[in-house]
Amino acid sequence: MFTKVLIANRGEIAIRICRTLRDMGIGSVAVYSDVDRGALHPRFADEAFALGGSTASESYLVVEKLLDVAARAGAEAVHPGYGFLAENAGFAQAVEDAGLVWIGPPAAAIELMGSKTRARAAMQEAGVPIIPGTTEPLASAEAVAALGDEIGYPLLIKAAAGGGGKGMKVVRSADEAAQAFESAQREGLSYFANADVYVERYLEDPRHVEAQVLADAHGNVIHLGERDCTIQRRHQKLIEETPSPAVDQELRDRIGKIAVDAARAAGYRSAGTIEGLLAPDGSYYFMEMNTRIQVEHTVTEMVAGVDIVREQVRIATGERLEFSQNEIRLQGHAIECRINAEDVSKGFLPSPGTITVYREPSGPGVRVDSGVTSGSEISPLYDPMIAKLIVRGADREHAIGRMLRALDEFEIGGVKTLLGFHRALLTHACFREGATCHGIVESELLAQRAEELSVEPVDAASSVDGRVSARAASVEVDGKRVEVRVLVPEPPYRELARRRRERVAAGAGGGASDVVVSPMQGTVLDVKVADGDVVEPGQVICIVEAMKMENEVTAHRGGTIAALSVAPGSPVSAGQAICTVMA
Ligand code: MV4
């Protein structure tokens, strides 16, 4: 067994991996960027090394820096977590070439699954059902129309180097083929530096159902059941659960066999996930394979009683799987809610800032995986996930009740969070019924309900109207305890400071109130308007992608679009003008 492992990641997953290493008596080595000097994960590990640099590409993505730390610390193995370099075959190979053990799959399996077309061809070859469509990159738009003639419309064009839904284009008829083909190619080139695209039948009202697999170096491959990740917004998963409300034992066995066959065909080792689509008619298709530990592995751990990170470590040392398929017992129902620092009322815009109040829920059946505490900064440079809240119950009803209780116990002040959104969705009839909730997740009505159900912690210093601030106090009235908010008028010096701030803010705009600016640094994914278009207040102007999240930029008022200065693929900085809206 290893004595020391380098964790090439940050935040909650770095801490999650640390915990298992400590359980196993293995030393942990953390790395951190300049922005993460005050973060929790370097404190949690046995040792921590500065990488230097702030952005991911200056720190967590620099292979030489990571290998240098591994050598200095005397680590024998590297765990990549998820994101960053986890699915980078070149990094996996570089780790092994440096004489270290890679706690993950073989580089060849990462590479195979990184090409969605090669993966589809390999799966078809192995008898794994794939979504009907092409397994070669498309030569031309005519090939799209040819498939349409053969299997009918609608079709969906996807980027061969993509995954996770970026750059997908629906084609509803032959005359939409050329435009969709070209724009999918363009987007593939700008996001993945690869213009190859392929086409699938577009499945209506599908569920995202994925299977967890474990494979050792001795040819043993098992599955740990499925996870249902249908609740997503712009391809970001928000809630995951197991078992899927749409899967019975017969289907579970079928999905499990598909996943095991897929992993074998890929020459897989370690923990991996087969992502698939479940159609309303019960057909299940392979979509892609994630060759890493996933954010949502926790729900599987809760029902299977297996520590998946521990299995990854054991498999990497060459040990055999501890259990066979028929020793796996999946018990109860688990749900995970991702608690992101995002503002639902602003189209899930990241809400970076300082967490002023932080109190985690606890008690029966509750698990919190988090990388923050009171005083932590949510940086705009990284993923805005604050915590994962996971519960287990005897059945789905029980788990939903527990989740609502735990959401109420969770107190987070200082940043906007998805706590209200999760309360709104978990009490919505669509979720209670186990329906797909397509369209509901994105709806304005749910966003309003989420806002109503958002509560600031009572002790978070809050501003009532800018002139009055509130603080919490407990009082006893005839011996009965009452929690009150004491309203404190703003002192004169505060009012002067506030007026100056307001003047500066107004001046910075320079009277340019018709200009729409990007709220963040990122890349323009899609532009929904053209110069001369008339827009309504709140209408989407473009989508800006940052840290793999898609963010809507909307018109702040109605009018006519002019001076549109961005196109799909354009890099934008925070505050950069996108267009003007002329009254
Ligand atoms: C699809 C699809 C329909 N037909 N592929 C791919 C990435 C993932 N984030 C969503 N993806 C989809 N791929 C075909 N051929 C529909 C989706 C999809 C989806 C699927 C299940 C649950 C929620 C979804 C939300 C948006 C898109």
Side-chain angles (χ1 to χ4, degrees), residues 131 156 158 163-166 168 200-204 206-208 229-232 235-236 275 277 287-288 438 442:
I131 303 170
L156 190 62
K158 296 184 175 181
K166 215 174 308 150
M168 301 197 316
E200 291 176 350
R201 169 183 290 153
Y202 179 72
L203 302 176
E204 308 271 5
R207 300 191 77 98
H208 175 124
C229 313
T230 302
I231 306 300
Q232 25 184 288
H235 310 305
Q236 288 296 316
E275 287 198 333
L277 289 186
M287 185 160 58
E288 51 188 77
H438 294 309
E442 300 82 1

Side-chain angles (χ1 to χ4, degrees), residues 3-7 27 29 69-78 99-101:
T3 59
K4 212 188 260 191
V5 170
L6 174 84
I7 302 163
V29 183
V69 170
R72 280 177 65 195
E76 299 135 29
V78 176
L100 302 163
V101 177

Side-chain angles (χ1 to χ4, degrees), residues 69-279:
V69 170
R72 280 177 65 195
E76 299 135 29
V78 176
H79 195 305
Y82 55 72
F84 299 127
L85 295 168
E87 292 180 280
N88 185 310
F91 182 52
Q93 193 58 58
V95 165
E96 303 250 286
D97 291 347
L100 302 163
V101 177
W102 169 250
I103 304 179
I110 301 178
E111 205 164 291
L112 172 68
M113 291 302 173
S115 163
K116 308 304 157 186
T117 43
R118 272 189 66 207
R120 280 167 62 75
M123 292 304 114
Q124 191 170 49
E125 179 76 16
V128 169
I130 59 171
I131 303 170
T134 62
T135 53
E136 293 283 323
L138 290 177
S140 68
E142 283 75 58
V144 179
L147 189 76
D149 286 343
E150 193 187 323
I151 68 171
Y153 292 91
L155 297 174
L156 190 62
I157 306 183
K158 296 184 175 181
K166 215 174 308 150
M168 301 197 316
K169 298 284 164 210
V170 183
V171 185
R172 301 212 170 260
S173 63
D175 41 283
E176 288 179 15
Q179 212 206 323
F181 173 72
E182 277 154 34
S183 82
Q185 277 199 320
R186 226 176 15 246
E187 287 184 20
L189 196 60
S190 62
Y191 311 130
F192 314 113
N194 183 335
D196 288 349
V197 298
Y198 64 102
V199 64
E200 291 176 350
R201 169 183 290 153
Y202 179 72
L203 302 176
E204 308 271 5
D205 202 25
R207 300 191 77 98
H208 175 124
V209 177
E210 60 187 30
Q212 176 72 53
V213 295
L214 289 175
D216 69 16
H218 306 276
N220 302 301
V221 186
I222 63 167
H223 72 88
L224 301 179
E226 80 284 2
R227 294 187 285 260
D228 191 309
C229 313
T230 302
I231 306 300
Q232 25 184 288
R233 185 186 174 280
R234 294 191 176 278
H235 310 305
Q236 288 296 316
K237 294 168 184 166
L238 295 170
I239 300 179
E240 302 96 342
E241 63 181 309
T242 186
S244 166
V247 173
D248 60 12
Q249 192 56 46
E250 180 272 321
L251 182 52
R252 179 162 309 112
D253 293 342
R254 177 150 56 91
I255 291 171
K257 181 177 183 308
I258 287 171
V260 168
D261 289 349
R264 274 193 203 288
Y268 206 76
R269 198 175 64 227
S270 193
T273 300
I274 303 300
E275 287 198 333
L277 289 186
L278 176 63

Side-chain angles (χ1 to χ4, degrees), residues 446-516:
L446 196 73
Q448 271 167 28
R449 187 87 187 107
E451 186 77 11
E452 287 161 21
L453 297 177
S454 294
V455 282
E456 272 279 294
V458 285
D459 51 345
S462 60
S463 160
V464 174
D465 71 349
R467 276 155 243 254
V468 179
S469 59
R471 78 185 153 71
S474 301
V475 296
E476 288 174 2
V477 180
D478 286 342
K480 183 176 186 209
R481 195 180 176 92
V482 184
E483 310 293 331
V484 296
R485 295 210 305 159
V486 182
L487 302 182
V488 188
E490 128 183 297
Y493 71 89
R494 287 273 307 237
E495 184 172 356
L496 288 172
R498 179 175 55 79
R499 285 210 189 138
R500 192 172 63 230
R501 264 201 315 278
E502 283 169 4
R503 269 200 311 279
V504 169
S513 60
D514 9 334
V515 179
V516 176

Side-chain angles (χ1 to χ4, degrees), residues 12 337-340 358 360 368-372 384-389 410 412:
E12 72 85 16
C337 287
R338 297 192 189 191
I339 313 300
N340 299 343
Y358 186 78
E360 287 180 352
V368 182
D369 279 23
S370 153
V372 304
M385 191 164 73
I386 300 172
K388 307 189 298 203
L389 174 55
F410 216 150
I412 306 176

Side-chain angles (χ1 to χ4, degrees), residues 24 38 49 188 281 283 304 311 330 345 398 410 480 488 513 541 579:
M24 300 177 79
F49 289 78
D281 70 357
S283 32
E311 294 313 310
L330 304 173
S345 71
H398 187 202
F410 216 150
K480 183 176 186 209
V488 188
S513 60
I541 292 184
C579 64

